[in-house]
Amino acid sequence: MHQQAAIDPLSATFAALADPTRRAMLARLALGEASVNELAAPFAMSLPAASKHIKVLHTAGLITKGRDAQWRPCRIEGEHLKEAMDWIGQYKQIWEDRLDRLDAYLLTLQAASTQGEKT
């Protein structure tokens, strides 16, 4: 039997974040714990559909599910989000440098254009 290779945590994080419903659920959890019903409430979806989204978030390590009697609160977990931000941050400086060079080039063009109008 062929077993599917485990997806790396960064890929799982980005896959989970690719869906706007899951991003909205994470935004709600950033405010504090919530039940599946509370997470599903803003959306026109069934509880099983909401549970599937929550499972994706849980599998990606973005949330944990607790157990308090009948209430099963979900909580946001920041470790994998931080890893994604760190990965993106590696490229932030590259793009800032490129934008700075573009800005300097545009200023040079603008100065040359202004100089040409004076002559």
Side-chain angles (χ1 to χ4, degrees), residues 1-86:
M1 178 198 262
H2 181 268
Q3 214 175 24
Q4 188 177 3
I7 191 167
D8 69 279
L10 189 60
S11 294
T13 296
F14 284 122
L17 294 174
D19 186 274
T21 300
R22 291 192 286 269
R23 291 192 306 270
M25 288 178 167
L26 280 177
R28 166 54 187 88
L29 290 172
L31 302 174
E33 295 180 347
S35 67
V36 173
N37 287 337
E38 291 169 326
L39 291 173
F43 307 102
M45 70 173 62
S46 66
L47 283 178
S51 292
K52 287 181 182 180
H53 283 292
I54 291 166
K55 182 179 180 183
V56 171
L57 292 169
H58 183 260
T59 300
L62 299 176
I63 67 169
T64 57
K65 296 186 283 186
R67 187 176 204 156
D68 185 10
Q70 297 291 36
W71 192 51
R72 296 204 161 102
C74 296
R75 293 177 199 90
I76 195 166
E77 289 294 324
E79 181 181 339
H80 290 290
L81 287 172
K82 183 182 178 326
E83 290 171 4
M85 287 179 59
D86 290 346

Side-chain angles (χ1 to χ4, degrees), residues 77-113:
E77 289 294 324
E79 181 181 339
H80 290 290
L81 287 172
K82 183 182 178 326
E83 290 171 4
M85 287 179 59
D86 290 346
W87 185 85
I88 291 169
Q90 297 176 57
Y91 300 96
K92 180 181 176 189
Q93 191 61 49
I94 292 168
W95 286 105
E96 285 177 352
D97 291 346
R98 288 179 182 178
L99 289 173
D100 288 346
R101 286 194 309 268
L102 178 60
D103 189 43
Y105 178 68
L106 291 174
L107 288 173
T108 302
L109 288 178
Q110 187 178 28
S113 175

